Amino acid sequence: MPNEKLNYLISYLLSEHPELEELTIPTSEKEQFDLYRSLVNIRPAKKVSAEYLKAEDEFLQKLAAQKGITDVAALKPMEENIYLWKGDITTLRCGAIVNAANSGMTGCYHPCHNCIDNCIHTFAGVRLRLKCAEIMKAQGHEEPTGTAKITPAYDLPCDNVIHTVGPIVQGRLTERHCKLLKSCYESCLELAVQSGVKSIAFCCISTGVFGFPQDKAAKIAVQTVREFLLTHDIEVIFNVFTEKDYKIYSGLLG
């Protein structure tokens, strides 16, 4: 049975690309979703019709429910107010999830790229890129490494997304890289508390294509969070996606 909402979303997005008017919508739902995601990923930050947003909300929220939503309340702490969870951060219900963004802050434009920036923007819907673009236009310059911005989460099950730009490590790891990564965690935590967020889930900032060594990054993350929790009350979830990261954090916590 064809997915009518998905077909409508694809048709709308294709209508924005006259050069693709001869493109045929595939018949398999997997290929349809990949096409939809690709069109969302390459779409510039701009407004969209209310009808499109209604269909997108219904489609993405149903998709999230099908994937299975994990509530922070169901997790068991490793330490007081610190949790470790292995899973898809776009399915976590909490106060805020952290996005490892680039300095442009409007998401990943590479079709179907598997980075967290792409995933978050895909499953939040097109309003997230527009909101980020508005913030960046008002700011007037790229986002510095180690700082953070907060936005609504739109169609994600969490309430907010906190975007931070981690350091890029090319070659030898330096003390400056470490200080900048620590600043990412501090900036996100401080912004969360200022915004009334009660729980925050961190991805493994900078450890993907940005090249920060996973074990050193985890030590900085855990130490920074422990220091912050000495004077602040907020639940912190370390979200990992690989078994290697899960083992690293398991060895540091508890």
Side-chain angles (χ1 to χ4, degrees):
M1 182 178 176
N3 189 318
E4 292 182 6
K5 277 197 173 60
L6 182 54
N7 271 276
Y8 165 76
L9 295 172
I10 292 170
S11 297
Y12 183 100
L13 294 168
L14 282 173
S15 73
E16 298 180 327
H17 294 272
E19 75 279 9
L20 299 177
E21 62 181 358
E22 294 184 6
L23 191 150
T24 302
I25 298 176
T27 54
S28 86
E29 194 162 332
K30 167 68 168 63
E31 290 177 328
Q32 287 175 0
F33 180 76
D34 286 347
L35 175 58
Y36 158 73
R37 179 172 179 171
S38 296
L39 291 166
V40 166
N41 294 159
I42 66 172
R43 188 177 189 272
K46 59 182 180 179
K47 292 186 177 179
V48 72
S49 74
E51 184 182 10
Y52 176 91
L53 287 178
K54 182 175 184 296
E56 185 182 64
D57 287 346
E58 292 172 356
F59 173 72
L60 290 176
Q61 288 170 24
K62 182 179 180 182
L63 188 62
Q66 288 172 343
K67 288 193 293 183
I69 295 171
T70 299
D71 197 302
V72 63
L75 303 180
K76 292 183 179 179
M78 297 283 285
E79 298 179 12
E80 187 175 359
N81 283 346
I82 299 180
Y83 302 79
L84 175 61
W85 180 67
K86 182 174 178 282
D88 178 355
I89 201 169
T90 68
T91 65
L92 187 61
R93 180 177 285 125
C94 60
I97 63 172
V98 172
N99 178 29
N102 57 52
S103 59
M105 288 285 279
T106 58
C108 169
Y109 288 79
H110 189 295
C112 293
H113 193 241
N114 204 33
C115 69
I116 192 168
D117 198 14
N118 187 298
C119 292
I120 286 174
H121 275 267
T122 296
F123 296 107
V126 297
R127 284 172 294 183
L128 181 57
R129 175 165 287 169
L130 179 59
K131 181 65 175 178
C132 289
E134 290 169 350
I135 291 171
M136 297 310 289
K137 184 179 179 181
Q139 178 166 284
H141 57 81
E142 290 190 334
E143 186 72 3
T145 302
T147 59
K149 295 287 187 292
I150 189 168
T151 65
Y154 300 104
D155 287 316
L156 294 167
C158 57
D159 297 323
N160 303 277
V161 179
I162 295 179
H163 311 257
T164 190
V165 182
I168 299 173
V169 179
Q170 295 175 323
R172 186 176 63 88
L173 183 69
T174 67
E175 188 61 32
R176 175 163 172 76
H177 290 136
C178 297
K179 288 180 178 178
L180 287 169
L181 185 62
K182 181 179 177 67
S183 178
C184 286
Y185 284 92
E186 290 173 338
S187 297
C188 291
L189 289 163
E190 288 164 2
L191 183 55
V193 169
Q194 290 167 12
S195 304
V197 171
K198 302 300 182 185
S199 57
I200 180 173
F202 282 102
C203 61
C204 301
I205 301 167
S206 278
T207 59
V209 295
F210 279 19
F212 206 109
Q214 290 161 277
D215 52 350
K216 182 63 175 176
K219 288 177 183 177
I220 292 169
V222 170
Q223 180 183 352
T224 306
V225 165
R226 283 176 175 156
E227 289 171 358
F228 190 83
L229 290 180
L230 292 174
T231 53
H232 298 84
D233 184 22
I234 185 171
E235 292 183 309
V236 177
I237 306 101
F238 288 114
N239 164 246
V240 298
F241 199 67
T242 68
E243 189 61 30
K244 180 180 178 181
D245 281 318
Y246 187 83
K247 289 179 179 176
I248 290 171
Y249 275 91
S250 295
L252 293 171
L253 294 170

